Amino acid sequence: FIFLIIIFFTKIVVAEGYDVFGIGLYDVKFDGSQTNQAIDFRYERRFDTSLLEIGPENYNFFDLKPFIGLETTSDSALYFLTGIYLEDNIGTLFKGESSNFIFTPSFGVGAYEDGNGKKLGNTIEFRTTLEVSYKLKNKNRIGLSFGHISNANLADNNPGVEIISLSYQVPY
């Protein structure tokens, strides 16, 4: 909660970043055991203000930045979260030359309401996501992500859920 207040009342709000609009499949299981599949809708605001920079001056590999988000499903589940992400150019990462492909891992924590959807076992849930996006000529991006939401065994029941999403990202 305090982190959200800091975000809303500091210069982070006026920094440039991306608004992320996503749609995906909620409760994807690769072993065929899905229990409550639904459509997942996601919005994130990714701020471009660094919270922590780690690495040499000419290339900060770990440039942690904040985000806030809202995720909901066609089963009326609702998830408000905040967290950190980093971005790295895949070309720079592997070849030393910039490309249009961006790798964005993120970690967040928030409040989850089951609605009519899958019962995740707790109000406090954590989300980890791996995303690869492609930067278009107009600086918008198209992304594909894989995420996992779990309560990290804070409760007796921790079924977790996986989400595959497509996103459209607009700089602001």
Side-chain angles (χ1 to χ4, degrees), residues 84-98:
I84 55 174
Y85 75 98
L86 64 89
E87 291 183 324
D88 204 350
N89 187 290
I90 292 176
T92 305
L93 184 64
F94 290 111
K95 295 182 179 179
E97 300 173 12
S98 185

Side-chain angles (χ1 to χ4, degrees), residues 69-89:
L70 168 68
E71 207 159 337
T72 186
T73 71
S74 57
D75 285 339
S76 302
L78 189 60
Y79 185 40
F80 291 99
L81 74 155
T82 185
I84 55 174
Y85 75 98
L86 64 89
E87 291 183 324
D88 204 350
N89 187 290

